[in-house]
Structure formats: structure tokens, C-alpha cells
Amino acid sequence: MNDYVKWVQETLKVLGYDPGQLDGRDGERTAAVLSFQQDNCLAADGLVGEATNNALLLALNERIGASLINDSLATSQNQDVLALKNFRPEEFACRCGCGLDLVMPLKHFAQELRDAFGWPLTISSGARCPPVNQDDGGVPDSCHLSGEAFDGYFAGQMNAEVMAAMADFAVARSFGVIRYPRELFCHFQIYPRNSIVYS
């Protein structure tokens, strides 16, 4: 089984195409890829190259974004504004203005982090659409692409001890974290991950 092929199959299915069995094997998905490429004005060759990969990510993000909008309308917007008393909405959203936003649990976590440490928390990177993610050197399967990750730091306060404390705080709340000691920031994401330190 190929994890990337399975991701393509699952993404096509979510987007309304029939890739056949979600088994991570090449096979029936070619027709689904061709249909997706034709619907999105891509070269229709049945292969998932860089352009098709990026288009799949963008379409998936749009679907997730629509779902998040519906979810947020179902909750009290006033409560969210109060819960995020130290942040402006644009601090979490993709900087290009495409509308992709950070998921609410991570926004609340950012506020918890700021409250616990008592220092202003700078969000250096929140949600990122595929072009912004590429510009920022993000990996192709970055959690930023689905609004499920942000990078942040406490200006003037960052050192190994503070980063370790931030990581412990995140892990205790079931968030994933990666520490970047050279750049002095931490990456936080929805998917659980043990605390990782990049040199």
C-alpha cells in the first residue's frame, strides 16, 4: 500500500469523484483523476503531478473551509470573540487573503498558551494555502494547509527552557509540537505528536 496513493484516493472521494477502493494501490483512480483534471482545467493525463497535487490540496482546503464556516455558524461567535481576547482574526488566517483559517481548537489553545505564560504570543504562521505554503518552504502534507497548525513565539522571551515549557504545555493538552531552537519558535498542530526538536 502506498500512503500517498491512498491520500489521493481519499481526497478524490471527499471531492465527489469515484476512485474505486481506498486501498493505496494504483488502479481505478485514473478515471477519477482524469475527471478532476478536466473539471479544474488541468492537463488531463491521469497522473498526479505537482499541478494536480496542488489543485487537490486547494480543493480539499476549500471543502474544509466551507465545513469550518458551517461549524462556526453553529456556535456562538460572541463566545469565540471573548475566548480569543488577545488575538485578531487575521493573525490566524492565511496571509494571502484567500479565506483559509485556523481551526478553532488551535485558536483556543493559542489563547490558553498566552494566558498561561503571561506574555504576548506572536503567531508567525497560521493557516497556509498551497502557494503560501510553497513560498514558506512548507512540506507538501503540512498541517498548515488544512488550518490545523500554527507557529508561534513569545517575542524577547524565547530560550531552550521556555520552548521546553511550551512543548510540555502543548503535549499535556494533546497537541503536537515541534521545537525550532535555531529560529526560536514552536510549531503546534492538531494531530498528536511527541515533542520534537529540530536542530
Side-chain angles (χ1 to χ4, degrees):
M1 185 184 80
N2 182 300
D3 288 340
Y4 179 72
V5 170
K6 188 174 182 186
W7 175 83
V8 170
Q9 292 169 330
E10 291 171 344
T11 300
L12 286 166
K13 187 168 182 67
V14 166
L15 296 174
Y17 299 89
D18 182 11
Q21 289 187 335
L22 306 180
D23 56 8
R25 295 188 175 95
D26 281 321
E28 299 175 47
R29 73 185 175 101
T30 303
V33 172
L34 281 168
S35 295
F36 175 80
Q37 290 171 328
Q38 290 166 351
D39 291 347
N40 289 273
C41 301
L42 298 164
D45 57 9
L47 303 175
V48 182
E50 184 177 354
T52 300
N53 179 79
N54 289 342
L56 283 167
L57 282 169
L58 187 58
L60 183 60
N61 286 333
E62 288 173 354
R63 175 67 60 92
I64 290 170
S67 175
L68 292 174
I69 289 170
N70 291 335
D71 288 347
S72 67
L73 290 175
T75 61
S76 169
Q77 292 180 345
N78 289 336
Q79 287 179 343
D80 287 336
V81 169
L82 291 174
L84 302 173
K85 61 184 182 291
N86 296 113
F87 296 96
R88 300 180 313 279
E90 60 269 22
E91 291 182 74
F92 300 110
C94 184
R95 69 171 185 264
C96 78
C98 66
L100 184 64
D101 201 4
L102 203 64
V103 296
M104 195 55 69
L106 271 180
K107 291 182 181 182
H108 287 166
F109 170 71
Q111 185 63 57
E112 286 181 40
L113 194 63
R114 195 249 187 253
D115 290 343
F117 284 78
W119 302 314
L121 177 67
T122 299
I123 308 298
S124 53
S125 183
R128 299 195 300 231
C129 66
V132 170
N133 187 60
Q134 188 171 2
D135 284 348
D136 288 357
V139 295
D141 61 347
S142 170
C143 290
H144 288 276
L145 289 162
S146 56
E148 294 177 308
F150 76 86
D151 301 334
Y153 63 92
F154 296 115
Q157 306 293 339
M158 300 301 288
N159 56 42
E161 291 74 23
V162 170
M163 295 181 78
M166 292 170 75
D168 290 344
F169 188 84
V171 170
R173 284 152 183 79
S174 299
F175 289 101
V177 59
I178 302 173
R179 286 177 272 173
Y180 291 83
R182 286 189 183 175
E183 294 87 356
L184 293 176
F185 74 88
C186 287
H187 164 97
F188 302 100
Q189 64 183 50
I190 287 288
Y191 301 122
R193 178 196 295 264
N194 291 332
S195 181
I196 293 176
V197 181
Y198 283 166
S199 57

